[in-house]
Amino acid sequence: MSTLMPTPGQTVGPFFHYGLPYEGGAELVPAGHPDAIRLHGTVLDGAGDPVPDSLIEIWQADPEGRIVQAPGSLHRDGWTFTGWGRAATDAAGRYSFTTVLPGAAEGDAPFFAVTVFARGLLDRLFSRAYVPEHPALHDDALLTSLPEDRRGTLIASSDASGLVFDIRLQGEGETVFLTFPDNGRLQA
Amino acid sequence: MLIVTQASELSTQAEVSDEIAAASKAYEAGDRGDAQPLLDYPPYRSSVLRHPTKDLHHTDPETIERWAPCFGPQDVSPLEADLTIQHSGEPIGERITVAGRVVDGDGRPVAHQLVEIWQANAGGRYIHKRDQHPAPLDPNFTGAGRLITAADGSYSFQTIKPGPYPWKNHRNAWRPAHIHFSLFGTDFTQRLVTQMYFPGDPLFALDPIYQSITDADARARLVATYDHDLTTPEWSTGYRWDIVLTGSHRTWLEDEA
Ligand SMILES: [Fe+2]
């Protein structure tokens, strides 16, 4: 149990583009990597309009399910997989990462941990993008705790280049966003 | 007046202040609110279509979420902590040191972790193509910096005190001066993006972003304190701002804690 009160969050605002995104941020592996896949999608608001000023971060295990603790995310050397990436959405609200499929411990469903920031969003949101068609999806603790009609919002779909994960901040098909114990937030 | 076309769609500061007061009253009455900003906060107009309407779903972190990405000396040059030396000349404005410690909810230092900041210049203008505020750009100031915290969680930036700036939330809306901060903890779940403010800013009461944190004590945690010990004679003033991330879910070994 925490003893200190946390510093509250605030919106990332409209002007983060020269503070946070950086060259190579979205390439966890080079596009030519033999196991490279694309994880991409669109961020949408409550009216179904794209959100062009949002920022997505992903954090994942390597394909064997190992947690990576290697530095080098900000100046990628082309060889070191760090497990972390950052991508701003474009004018059409789209983001795109070049990465590899995450693994997980035996029997667990692998996923990308996702953080969403945007102008208009007063605090960051956490979510998960699960790898589709994995046998362990059926007994995943989080997925099975969700109403059936909302589970799908956390499962990526496949396309020719990899995986698609759209993020709906509000409204029909609203993505499930997560809160963890002890984070200073009592409610949405 | 030239402002008339805008006025038909934009609220006045008085109207927004009334909404802020109503939200604050609802909080006092125990209706809602906590130590974090409300995501659904209509006085901040851009939040209306961009907040989830369903409650955040409670879950326990899985292994990957109990770890955070790691950054090292190859990621950040020590020079990037000084925002005043990125160009050939001296930036305009009040030179300041902003320093403090990053700790977790149990007071453990967040060591060797990435801190990123970005801010407006002394005139309240960002180097960003979307910033249309007709205040001057400063050719000697970009306004972005980063560093890796020391073993005791401490950090220190050299920069320029940013100016307040107007925005289009409502008519004649002004943001209190602030520095944007991005922080990582030891756990993915501790990720924090926030804004640091300066003490005594007259715009606090009028600002829907600051006021979206309905708890006054929680809001106050975003305000730095003036610290004369951080000043440099004949050179700069100083502000201290300590940052507390949420609790860690990691099982700490004795020698780590
Ligand atoms: Fe700002």
Side-chain angles (χ1 to χ4, degrees):
Chain A
M1 199 58 207
S2 298
T3 50
L4 301 173
M5 290 302 289
T7 304
Q10 291 270 265
T11 181
V12 75
F15 302 133
F16 60 82
H17 294 91
Y18 70 96
L20 295 178
Y22 60 93
E23 178 97 31
E27 280 100 53
L28 286 79
V29 296
H33 188 285
D35 300 322
I37 60 149
R38 188 175 181 218
L39 172 69
H40 64 121
T42 305
V43 182
L44 300 156
D45 71 10
D49 291 327
V51 178
D53 38 19
S54 67
L55 183 79
I56 308 299
E57 291 176 355
I58 59 169
W59 169 231
Q60 63 167 106
D62 75 6
E64 281 74 48
R66 289 178 299 227
I67 311 286
V68 181
Q69 289 290 280
S73 296
L74 298 180
H75 290 285
R76 301 199 191 275
D77 63 12
W79 297 95
T80 309
F81 177 71
T82 66
W84 184 79
R86 175 184 279 167
T89 52
D90 65 15
R94 292 173 309 198
Y95 72 90
S96 179
F97 291 97
T98 307
T99 185
V100 290
L101 281 177
E106 189 68 36
D108 286 351
F111 62 85
F112 301 88
V114 176
T115 321
V116 183
F117 307 89
R119 178 180 69 83
L121 184 58
L122 278 156
D123 197 8
R124 46 98 188 94
L125 294 171
F126 293 124
S127 190
R128 291 180 186 173
Y130 282 88
V131 175
E133 285 149 41
H134 193 280
L137 289 176
H138 303 288
D139 18 69
D140 179 80
L142 169 60
L143 293 177
T144 52
S145 72
L146 290 169
E148 212 161 329
D149 63 331
R150 301 203 67 207
R151 269 174 224 169
T153 70
L154 296 187
I155 304 173
S157 58
S158 299
D159 75 353
S161 57
L163 300 177
V164 183
F165 185 70
D166 292 331
I167 296 166
R168 292 179 176 80
L169 295 176
Q170 188 185 92
E172 194 168 335
E174 184 175 304
T175 301
V176 171
F177 297 105
L178 305 174
T179 184
F180 301 96
D182 212 10
N183 77 344
R185 177 176 290 288
L186 307 175
Q187 58 185 63
Chain B
M1 270 169 63
L2 278 173
I3 211 161
V4 164
T5 47
Q6 276 193 353
S8 59
E9 40 190 271
L10 293 180
S11 311
T12 62
Q13 178 66 55
E15 286 162 344
V16 168
S17 290
D18 284 349
E19 293 176 44
I20 290 172
S24 169
K25 219 163 149 189
Y27 169 66
E28 304 288 320
D31 284 7
R32 55 183 200 167
D34 53 47
Q36 297 290 349
L38 294 170
L39 298 176
D40 178 6
Y41 193 71
Y44 177 30
R45 301 296 188 233
S46 312
S47 76
V48 171
L49 286 171
R50 293 184 172 192
H51 70 271
T53 54
K54 304 213 166 29
D55 285 341
L56 301 180
H57 188 82
H58 288 264
T59 196
D60 286 320
E62 297 279 347
T63 313
I64 183 75
E65 291 156 338
R66 292 195 296 267
W67 292 84
C70 121
F71 301 90
Q74 62 269 67
D75 289 306
V76 182
S77 152
L79 298 178
E80 293 180 73
D82 190 342
L83 287 74
T84 67
I85 56 165
Q86 296 174 350
H87 301 275
S88 54
E90 288 283 342
I92 290 168
E94 199 179 326
R95 267 189 225 104
I96 57 172
T97 294
V98 176
R101 277 181 85 216
V102 187
V103 298
D104 72 10
D106 297 310
R108 280 182 298 247
V110 175
H112 312 304
Q113 193 47 292
L114 179 66
V115 181
E116 297 159 285
I117 64 170
W118 69 102
Q119 62 167 91
N121 68 20
R125 177 84 187 263
Y126 285 90
I127 291 197
H128 191 289
K129 57 185 184 304
R130 280 192 49 184
D131 187 357
Q132 299 298 311
H133 177 33
L137 285 169
D138 182 344
N140 291 315
F141 192 72
T142 302
R146 56 193 181 186
L147 54 71
I148 305 280
T149 56
D152 62 354
S154 63
Y155 73 90
S156 178
F157 286 105
Q158 303 297 314
T159 185
I160 290 293
K161 195 173 182 188
Y165 59 84
W167 60 311
K168 297 207 165 27
N169 187 71
H170 52 276
R171 203 193 312 159
N172 199 16
W174 289 80
R175 296 292 332 278
H178 58 273
I179 298 178
H180 295 265
F181 269 73
S182 160
L183 298 126
F184 293 79
T186 53
D187 296 28
F188 169 80
T189 60
Q190 294 174 304
R191 184 83 177 87
L192 176 68
V193 165
T194 190
Q195 303 179 23
M196 186 208 89
Y197 299 90
F198 293 87
D201 197 310
L203 293 165
F204 282 157
L206 309 180
D207 178 40
I209 292 181
Y210 181 67
Q211 295 292 335
S212 69
I213 304 158
T214 44
D215 184 271
D217 292 338
R219 273 199 306 273
R221 291 196 286 275
L222 294 182
V223 184
T225 28
Y226 176 74
D227 186 344
H228 207 64
D229 291 339
L230 288 174
T231 60
T232 305
E234 318 290 320
W235 189 253
S236 60
T237 59
Y239 290 86
R240 175 167 300 280
W241 190 49
D242 294 327
I243 300 155
V244 181
L245 303 180
T246 55
S248 164
H249 302 94
R250 199 93 66 74
T251 308
W252 290 81
L253 300 174
E254 209 128 294
D255 61 342
E256 286 180 296

